[in-house]
Amino acid sequence: MKLRFAPSPTGHLHVGNARIALANWLFARKSGGHLLLRLDDTDTQRSRQDYAEAIEEDLRWLGLDWDELVRQSDRLDRYAAAAEALKASGRLYPCLESEEELAYKREQQRRAGRPPLYDRAALKMTPEQLSRAMANGKVPYWRFKLSNTTVEWQDHVLGRRAVKLTAISDPVLVRADGSPLYTFTSVVDDLDMGITHVIRGEDHVTNTGIQLDLFAALGGDPRKLAFAHLPLLTDADGGPLSKRIGSLSLRQLRRDGIEAASITGYLAGLGTSHDPVPGAPRDLLNGFDLGAVSHSSPRFDPRQMMGLNRKLLHALPFAEIAPRLPEGATEAFWDAVRGNLDTLPEAKHWWEVVQGHIAPISQPDEAEYLAHASENLPAEPWDDATWTAWTNALKAISGRKGKGLFLPLRRALTGEDQGPDMKQLLPLIGRARTEARLAASLQP
């Protein structure tokens, strides 16, 4: 068994790409198969080396690995040879129509109530006509002549699928400049590299019909290829999830503090009846089943993913998270703040609150109460009982309770209206810092 994940290095990986990569990895690893990372980089104008490097880095950050790496740009001679073989068999034929001419033909077909399909006019050219046109500066591009059949397969997600090739225009496989297109290179690679299973998005269903026909034309046995097409993600409102939304790139999610295990756990559960749980790819293997994926498009809701991120952080033990906390952070600090975090970078703010400098909220109407609070600070040592003892004393002095008792103190000591339990924060802030902050809050 051999699978491939084949991104184009023309941009950063998006959550949709990541879902396909994860599905391929889980299927390959659970089945003991071989996973190939193939960079489809024949688009020389848009492909960039920094994007290729970013793809590898982002996949590793997610916890994904691969057994082999291939770049299509290293295989151009192989594609040229395959093209010559198709030309010799009559399945790849030259075309000279300009994009303007093709657009005009499509418009005429629409007006006549016919589907806008390529009419194969180029096949009617004689060798003499082609030679004459080329002598006059015309450079042909090359189309693949599709079979007059219907291609069928049993999809591992969508069930029985069929593509009627007579309802599709013959696809262009080679541009006029000689560069091969994805439809062509993908099939040549799948054949040469012994790919047995292709897991990709539902937007490739029609393309699968074309590629199976091309696979056979190149001497392959389509029966040896299995396909699974995952329904495309939509946004939280059910609309298309644009690949150009930068906020949903893995790079941005990582910068925003979303944990890799939150992303993989969420993506693995999307489109199934299982509630997603945070987990690294290796932790998700046992629960992975392509047969459990729904035929309908799942909604990608960042709020649900954030919920998983909170759940993950709240459960992380100090020993595991310590290397990523601010220098000097203790287990007591982690226990105090983790239940209040959406993302790990927020811990840096709370470390500054307990050990650094804050800007207290102005509370001129609370001056008398805060003065009483400063005068009645408990003696050291401070522990988890200090906050309760202090506020009980202030309650007896002021008659306050609830928010009126607690909020002015929280604002003065943390500069925030909300946050972790003050029972745990107060010992971390310490008596000296507490006294200084109360004094600062009393300044006009």
Side-chain angles (χ1 to χ4, degrees):
M1 181 181 293
K2 190 172 185 179
L3 294 92
R4 44 78 162 180
F5 173 58
S8 297
T10 55
H12 292 301
L13 285 184
H14 177 274
V15 291
N17 309 126
R19 179 171 176 247
I20 299 300
L22 178 62
N24 275 280
W25 188 93
L26 289 171
F27 192 89
R29 295 297 180 247
K30 189 171 184 178
S31 307
H34 186 95
L35 182 62
L36 166 72
L37 174 60
R38 190 176 73 211
L39 296 176
D40 290 359
D41 60 351
T42 56
D43 186 343
T44 55
Q45 292 187 341
R46 297 176 59 221
S47 295
R48 287 171 28 184
Q49 177 60 26
D50 58 325
Y51 284 142
E53 293 171 357
I55 286 171
E56 293 188 53
E57 180 183 327
D58 287 345
L59 291 174
R60 289 193 179 98
W61 175 69
L62 284 179
L64 305 180
D65 60 359
W66 47 93
D67 303 299
E68 184 181 356
L69 172 65
V70 174
R71 295 175 181 270
Q72 287 192 331
S73 56
D74 294 333
R75 290 174 46 78
L76 296 180
D77 289 346
R78 175 67 186 104
Y79 306 137
E84 290 304 315
L86 289 175
K87 291 175 187 179
S89 68
R91 297 297 296 274
L92 195 64
Y93 61 94
C95 302
L96 296 173
E97 297 98 333
S98 66
E99 183 52 47
E100 291 76 12
E101 291 171 324
L102 293 172
Y104 175 77
K105 285 185 178 183
R106 289 193 292 267
E107 181 59 28
Q108 293 301 109
Q109 289 171 322
R110 291 191 188 97
R111 290 183 178 182
R114 301 193 305 273
L117 301 178
Y118 181 62
D119 58 8
R120 290 181 170 174
L123 285 173
K124 300 174 184 176
M125 284 193 303
T126 65
E128 292 75 18
Q129 290 173 321
L130 177 61
S131 297
R132 191 161 52 248
M134 293 176 65
N136 290 329
K138 287 272 192 177
V139 180
Y141 55 92
W142 299 80
R143 289 183 184 269
F144 175 64
K145 185 179 179 182
L146 293 169
S147 303
N148 296 324
T149 60
T150 296
V151 175
E152 299 183 3
W153 70 94
Q154 184 67 28
D155 197 277
H156 280 231
V157 171
L158 302 178
R160 197 70 182 169
R161 281 295 180 267
V163 174
K164 189 176 181 180
L165 297 181
T166 53
I168 304 171
S169 293
D170 289 344
V172 176
L173 298 190
V174 182
R175 300 182 183 92
D177 64 3
S179 60
L181 278 84
Y182 161 80
T183 299
F184 183 35
T185 58
S186 182
V187 174
V188 173
D189 287 347
D190 287 349
L191 180 59
D192 287 357
M193 298 170 189
I195 299 300
T196 61
H197 292 72
V198 177
I199 301 175
R200 55 187 179 182
E202 189 178 18
D203 53 333
H204 285 286
V205 166
T206 298
N207 197 40
T208 294
I210 295 171
Q211 290 186 325
L212 283 172
D213 194 39
L214 178 55
F215 194 82
L218 288 169
D221 183 354
R223 295 171 299 179
K224 293 183 178 180
L225 265 182
F227 287 88
H229 291 88
L230 302 181
L232 300 183
L233 301 181
T234 67
D235 62 24
D237 298 320
L241 190 67
S242 171
K243 293 181 180 179
R244 303 303 176 193
I245 299 178
S247 62
L248 293 180
S249 73
L250 294 185
R251 289 270 144 147
Q252 188 59 51
L253 291 174
R254 186 177 181 180
R255 282 194 289 265
D256 290 344
I258 307 298
E259 300 294 308
S262 301
I263 298 173
T264 52
Y266 183 59
L267 293 177
L270 271 183
T272 73
S273 60
H274 308 304
D275 290 332
V277 293
R282 64 181 179 275
D283 302 323
L284 303 170
L285 282 170
N286 289 337
F288 178 74
D289 178 13
L290 276 178
V293 178
S294 170
H295 292 194
S296 58
S297 294
R299 298 189 179 194
F300 182 90
D301 189 343
R303 293 169 298 184
Q304 292 182 355
M305 186 174 61
M306 184 64 79
L308 282 190
N309 206 63
R310 284 193 293 271
K311 183 176 181 179
L312 174 65
L313 288 177
H314 299 176
L316 281 178
F318 175 71
E320 185 173 338
I321 201 66
R324 298 172 59 197
L325 291 176
E327 185 177 354
T330 62
E331 186 169 3
F333 168 76
W334 178 242
D335 289 341
V337 304
R338 63 178 174 179
N340 201 253
L341 301 178
D342 287 333
T343 64
L344 188 59
E346 294 171 4
K348 182 179 180 181
H349 166 71
W350 289 110
W351 183 247
E352 186 67 17
V353 166
V354 300
Q355 293 291 307
H357 302 281
I358 66 165
I361 297 174
S362 177
Q363 303 179 84
D365 295 340
E366 301 290 353
E368 183 179 353
Y369 174 60
L370 294 174
H372 285 312
S374 182
E375 294 165 0
N376 289 274
L377 279 179
E380 293 181 314
W382 280 18
D383 55 27
D384 289 353
T386 303
W387 172 257
T388 300
W390 186 31
T391 53
N392 281 341
L394 292 175
K395 181 179 180 180
I397 294 171
S398 65
R400 294 186 178 215
K401 59 183 179 179
K403 184 181 290 187
L405 178 66
F406 303 121
L407 184 57
L409 298 176
R410 179 182 286 278
R411 286 176 168 177
L413 299 184
T414 70
E416 302 285 351
D417 283 353
Q418 298 176 330
D421 192 335
M422 290 299 295
K423 290 181 181 180
Q424 294 175 286
L425 280 190
L426 190 64
L428 296 170
I429 295 172
R431 193 180 194 282
R433 193 173 285 108
T434 297
E435 188 172 15
R437 289 180 181 179
L438 286 171
S441 69
L442 291 170
Q443 297 298 317

